[in-house]
Amino acid sequence: MDKMNGSYGESSSSDDVEAPLLLSPAASCGGEKGVRPASSSSAAAARVRAILAHRYPAIAAGPAACAAVCGLVELGDGHGEARNMLGVLAWVFVWWVTGAVPLAVASMAPLFLFPAFGVSSSDAVAKAYMDDVISLVLGSFILALAIEHYHIHRRLALNVREHAPPDSISSPVLSTLMWIHNTACTVMMMPVATGILQRLPRHGGAAGDIDSGGDEVRRFSRAVVLGVVYASVIGGMSTLTGTGVNIILVGMWSAYFPEQRPITFSSWMSFGLPMAIILFLALWVTLCFMYCSKNTGKALSAYLDRSHLRRELSLLGPMAFAEKMVLAVFGALIVLWMTRNLTGNIPGWGVLFHNKVGDGTVTIMMATLLFIIPSGKREGEKLMDWNKCKKIQWNIILLLGAGFAIADGFKTSGLTDILSDGLRFLKGAPTMVIVPVACVFSGIITEFTSDDSTTTLVLPLFAELAKSIEVHPALLMVSGAIGAQLSYLLPTGSPSNVVGFSTGYITIKDLVATGLPLKIVAIAALTVLLPTIGPVIFGMDIKS
């Protein structure tokens, strides 16, 4: 994967040096002999420019947002920690969006903000920064570096591009991910996508050169990465094995409501597949509208000529032993991901270990094999060594850790209970109100933590809420599960977002601009589909 660049809001140290906050006496008073002293207005303007260069207004916006929330928001007696949690969330979110400080630094802010504001202890918040999902991402990064080192992604990209049109990358992602975990599909397809994009000029042509098509190339590159990211999440919605959210839903459904009609593989696909088709069409329209134009094909044609692709593929020659072994390890990992948990009736291999093994466990295990298997090139050389791992995106690891810390902060501060109590107004409300409200509630929380964490957090609340307001549990639990999968706006939402974000082709602004329309379409589609086909699939009373 390419090293992340300044487009994420991170300023280099050289930028800091070149933008002094205070002017020197010579600059402000005309210290050199014969130089006319600068006017007070020009000196003031220079100071303003220096302050803006250091991003101090954006830095101050974080604490200001926190102070505003803590000073103006009133959640009632005994809920000071919940109010503080909202304030800390505002602080971190502002820093993320504005890029006031490097992404890794903003992601470490909960380590000192949570204890300082009484949200949780230092030990508790520190433990959140190493979760099974984080292990999964860390191991995936190591595997991705191995694929990049041996140019496997380039070989795969050339083969895919030779036999597929340029705008069809998302299609195989969707069809593949219907049957495997969305994270596995993203990790598998992203090297193919970036391998194609590496044939294109990363920064386009020269600035202002309209004929170069540089802007078209950059927009198309963002569309490809976003297409893989969103198609993987959308495809995972179709089947029970496509995402951990659906598996968690089935488990909690049978635990809380054993008397209800069980959710089976076929019944869920009857509901999830129509949702996925609608969202995939919305994704295709959104990407075409926002990132492609009538000139896109012309701008790309010079870089994607099939005869050139065949020539480059032939120059790679046959696959070496090291390439085959990396692919074998990668393929074995995907199989392990797919088969660890299947359905309630068909257990996966995880039962052999009392279901104490997670996806992160097997990812780290398979990544470790890369440091053991010889490369076959030089004596004593392994497929990977730690020097090759210096490009690991540790800022992304910290970003995910911040997401898990925020999820824990929601629970420990009591903010989750307050939000749950606020939903009791749904008693007696029509179905067309209950479904979108539950989906939006879950969809907001999932942006700050992983899909699985959100599902584990909200489904028990919705199960109890369904009993207290006397509605069919599918209205709330299915809506909550779908909402948890709509993590389209921030990298913290899902490992798929992290994989796409770490390529360096997209920014948080790209995720928000593309994900927001998809999220609105998803909520609208759920509001229509659940009351329409839900009674047949889940046995809901249409009067609920």
Side-chain angles (χ1 to χ4, degrees):
M1 293 187 181
D2 294 329
K3 187 176 181 180
M4 297 179 65
N5 53 32
S7 61
Y8 300 98
E10 296 189 27
S11 58
S12 65
S13 58
S14 61
D15 292 337
D16 295 336
V17 172
E18 292 171 1
L21 178 60
L22 298 178
L23 297 179
S24 64
S28 60
C29 302
E32 292 186 21
K33 186 176 181 179
V35 177
R36 179 179 297 179
S39 66
S40 58
S41 60
S42 61
R47 288 192 179 93
V48 170
R49 287 194 299 270
I51 290 174
L52 293 177
H54 281 278
R55 301 188 180 184
Y56 284 138
I59 293 173
C66 178
V69 170
C70 293
L72 301 177
V73 174
E74 182 58 50
L75 299 178
D77 296 336
H79 295 301
E81 290 183 4
R83 181 198 60 209
N84 292 346
M85 177 61 204
L86 277 179
V88 170
L89 186 60
W91 183 330
V92 176
F93 184 74
V94 167
W95 275 7
W96 273 343
V97 173
T98 62
V101 295
L103 183 66
V105 176
S107 300
M108 289 191 294
L111 287 169
F112 67 88
L113 291 177
F114 279 23
F117 283 81
V119 174
S120 60
S121 67
S122 57
D123 286 339
V125 68
K127 290 177 181 177
Y129 280 76
M130 183 50 71
D131 185 89
D132 183 66
V133 173
I134 296 178
S135 300
L136 183 150
V137 173
L138 177 59
S140 298
F141 280 172
I142 295 175
L143 282 163
L145 288 174
I147 290 173
E148 178 186 1
H149 177 73
Y150 293 105
H151 306 290
I152 297 174
H153 63 308
R154 184 174 180 82
R155 185 184 296 275
L156 291 173
L158 289 172
N159 278 286
V160 170
R161 181 60 195 90
E162 185 180 359
H163 300 94
D167 58 350
S168 63
I169 296 176
S170 296
S171 300
V173 179
L174 180 71
S175 59
T176 302
L177 192 61
M178 286 177 60
W179 311 106
I180 68 174
H181 195 280
N182 52 12
T183 303
C185 184
T186 310
V187 174
M188 180 175 62
M189 292 301 300
M190 193 60 72
V192 178
T194 54
I196 294 174
L197 297 180
Q198 284 178 0
R199 289 185 50 81
L200 311 178
R202 184 62 180 268
H203 301 290
D209 186 358
I210 299 177
D211 295 332
S212 68
D215 185 60
E216 295 288 348
V217 170
R218 287 192 295 271
R219 287 157 60 88
F220 176 78
S221 299
R222 293 201 296 269
V224 169
V225 174
L226 290 169
V228 173
V229 169
Y230 289 128
S232 67
V233 179
I234 292 170
M237 194 179 292
S238 305
T239 64
L240 291 182
T241 56
T243 174
V245 171
N246 295 341
I247 298 173
I248 295 172
L249 170 64
V250 171
M252 290 192 177
W253 179 270
S254 60
Y256 280 95
F257 304 101
E259 73 283 358
Q260 295 288 345
R261 182 184 302 177
I263 300 177
T264 64
F265 194 98
S266 58
S267 66
W268 178 261
M269 191 169 181
S270 301
F271 178 78
L273 185 57
M275 277 287 301
I277 292 174
I278 293 172
L279 284 178
F280 182 70
L281 291 175
L283 171 64
W284 181 77
V285 171
T286 301
L287 293 179
C288 289
F289 177 77
M290 295 184 63
Y291 299 102
C292 299
S293 69
K294 61 182 180 180
N295 297 322
T296 300
K298 181 180 179 181
L300 299 174
S301 59
Y303 308 105
L304 300 177
D305 181 73
R306 291 184 185 274
S307 61
H308 293 166
L309 295 175
R310 296 190 189 99
R311 189 180 306 114
E312 289 190 27
L313 188 59
S314 64
L315 290 175
L316 290 177
M319 293 186 66
F321 172 80
E323 293 180 72
K324 294 178 181 178
M325 293 309 301
V326 171
L327 275 180
V329 171
F330 188 50
L333 175 60
I334 292 175
V335 172
L336 291 173
W337 275 341
M338 291 170 56
T339 58
R340 182 174 66 88
N341 286 318
L342 298 177
T343 66
N345 298 326
I346 307 176
W349 61 263
V351 297
L352 300 176
F353 302 92
H354 309 288
N355 290 320
K356 293 184 178 180
V357 175
D359 288 336
T361 308
V362 295
T363 307
I364 294 296
M365 180 186 72
M366 299 306 289
T368 302
L369 291 179
L370 298 177
F371 298 85
I372 298 175
I373 301 174
S375 66
K377 293 186 175 182
R378 287 183 289 272
E379 185 177 354
E381 183 183 64
K382 305 299 192 298
L383 292 176
M384 286 290 287
D385 58 64
W386 194 246
N387 286 330
K388 297 185 181 76
C389 296
K390 291 180 179 179
K391 293 168 63 178
I392 289 178
Q393 308 290 342
W394 292 109
N395 48 359
I396 302 297
I397 302 296
L398 291 171
L399 176 68
L400 273 180
F404 287 111
I406 289 171
D408 291 341
F410 267 78
K411 290 183 288 186
T412 58
S413 67
L415 186 57
T416 302
D417 296 333
I418 296 174
L419 295 175
S420 177
D421 291 338
L423 293 175
R424 296 192 182 277
F425 73 90
L426 293 175
K427 185 172 185 178
T431 300
M432 300 295 286
V433 173
I434 294 176
V435 172
V437 168
C439 186
V440 169
F441 176 83
S442 181
I444 292 175
I445 296 178
T446 196
E447 297 297 348
F448 301 100
T449 184
S450 69
D451 300 355
D452 294 350
S453 298
T454 300
T455 308
T456 306
L457 183 69
V458 303
L459 287 194
L461 299 177
F462 283 153
E464 297 299 332
L465 184 62
K467 296 175 183 178
S468 63
I469 66 176
E470 300 176 349
V471 299
H472 193 281
L475 287 177
L476 289 169
M477 296 190 71
V478 173
S479 300
I482 294 295
Q485 298 178 63
L486 305 181
S487 49
Y488 296 162
L489 306 183
L490 293 175
T492 53
S494 72
S496 297
N497 293 8
V498 173
V499 172
F501 190 70
S502 63
T503 63
Y505 284 97
I506 60 175
T507 65
I508 292 179
K509 292 180 180 179
D510 294 322
L511 288 172
V512 173
T514 309
L516 189 58
L518 290 178
K519 201 156 191 167
I520 294 173
V521 171
I523 295 170
L526 179 67
T527 304
V528 174
L529 287 178
L530 190 54
T532 304
I533 64 178
V536 178
I537 297 173
F538 304 110
M540 296 189 325
D541 183 358
I542 196 63
K543 296 180 181 180
S544 296

